[in-house]
Amino acid sequence: MLTRLRAKRDNLHLGLMLALTFSTGVVDAVGYLGLDKVFAGNMTGNVVILGMALAGADDLPWVGPLLALFAFMLGAVIGGRVLRPVKAGWATRTTWLFAVVGAVLAGLAIALFVMNGKPPQPWELIITVFLATAMGLQAATARHIAVKDVTTVVVTSTITGFAADSRLAGGKGQPWFRRAAAIVLIAAGAGVGALLLMLHIGWGVAVAALITLIAALLGHIAAHVKHTPAPASAPAPAETAA
């Protein structure tokens, strides 16, 4: 099994990044619906909300989106700094960073369960900061693994490529599966997150933590298992001259 994982490492990386895309949808649903209209992973959404809030539209919040934006950038800076010395792909540092993201999410889930509902201020903002920092760290780590079209946190560029490279646009072919899967999975994650929020705000974060930790484990195993090549067959004996 381990050898198969290593042999199909690119497919495994794609699957793991798609799983993290799903978990980001879950986290963003928790942030937007449970933490006062704040995205933890989709910074485009936060920038738009922030712009409308500063214009005074519909009494939108601006503190949460602003904190989330800077916290996400902080997480991305940490990820970029840690991974700078190693080549692109999965490495031990990659595993540790994903593990840190999973651990932070698990800790936040526990805190939300302890609070038994929507966290009061200032805890709501503190949880928002930690969620966004974790998502920034995840995004930077996923960027280092470099699975094309799958950033785990946004799908705008993926949707653009899916449409621009389609046959309707005159394209002759594209990696449609990974693009379609990323779009569908982040939406599915948001739907699951919204449903879990009806049970408790902590469940969505707990599910995202579990997915992230499993992804870190599988990626680490596939990257570090040693592949033993099949022994070369012995050369056929030379024919004896008559």
Side-chain angles (χ1 to χ4, degrees):
M1 176 182 176
L2 296 180
T3 302
R4 288 198 301 268
L5 282 178
R6 185 175 179 87
K8 299 180 179 179
R9 185 168 52 189
D10 290 343
N11 290 338
L12 176 65
H13 288 175
L14 172 60
L16 296 180
M17 295 306 100
L18 289 174
L20 292 178
T21 300
F22 175 86
S23 70
T24 298
V26 175
V27 170
D28 270 342
V30 171
Y32 189 82
L33 299 175
L35 298 175
D36 198 20
K37 295 183 173 59
V38 177
F39 291 106
N42 181 11
M43 289 302 109
T44 302
N46 279 336
V47 171
V48 172
I49 291 174
L50 186 60
M52 293 187 295
L54 293 178
D58 293 334
D59 294 325
L60 291 171
W62 64 270
V63 176
L66 185 63
L67 288 176
L69 179 61
F70 282 105
F72 184 93
M73 293 172 64
L74 173 62
V77 166
I78 294 172
R81 172 69 67 175
V82 171
L83 293 171
R84 189 72 57 196
V86 298
K87 65 180 181 179
W90 203 293
T92 300
R93 295 191 183 196
T94 308
T95 301
W96 278 111
L97 289 178
F98 279 138
V100 168
V101 173
V104 170
L105 293 178
L108 292 176
I110 293 172
L112 288 168
F113 280 117
V114 169
M115 293 177 189
N116 196 28
K118 183 179 174 66
Q121 295 292 3
W123 290 106
E124 183 180 68
L125 294 177
I126 294 173
I127 289 174
T128 296
V129 166
F130 276 99
L131 271 181
T133 303
M135 291 296 99
L137 185 57
Q138 173 184 297
T141 308
R143 181 174 181 267
H144 185 79
I145 295 174
V147 175
K148 184 177 175 57
D149 297 315
V150 185
T151 66
T152 77
V153 291
V154 292
V155 293
T156 302
S157 59
T158 305
I159 293 172
T160 302
F162 188 78
D165 295 336
S166 66
R167 295 191 182 279
L168 188 63
K172 296 182 179 180
Q174 62 169 308
W176 66 269
F177 173 79
R178 69 177 60 196
R179 290 175 175 178
I183 297 166
V184 170
L185 284 172
I186 200 167
V192 170
L195 292 174
L196 291 173
L197 199 64
M198 298 172 63
L199 300 176
H200 193 283
I201 190 174
W203 279 118
V205 183
V207 167
L210 180 61
I211 292 172
T212 306
L213 291 173
I214 291 175
L217 177 61
L218 292 178
H220 183 77
I221 291 173
H224 291 83
V225 63
K226 292 183 178 180
H227 176 65
T228 304
S233 57
E239 294 184 3
T240 303

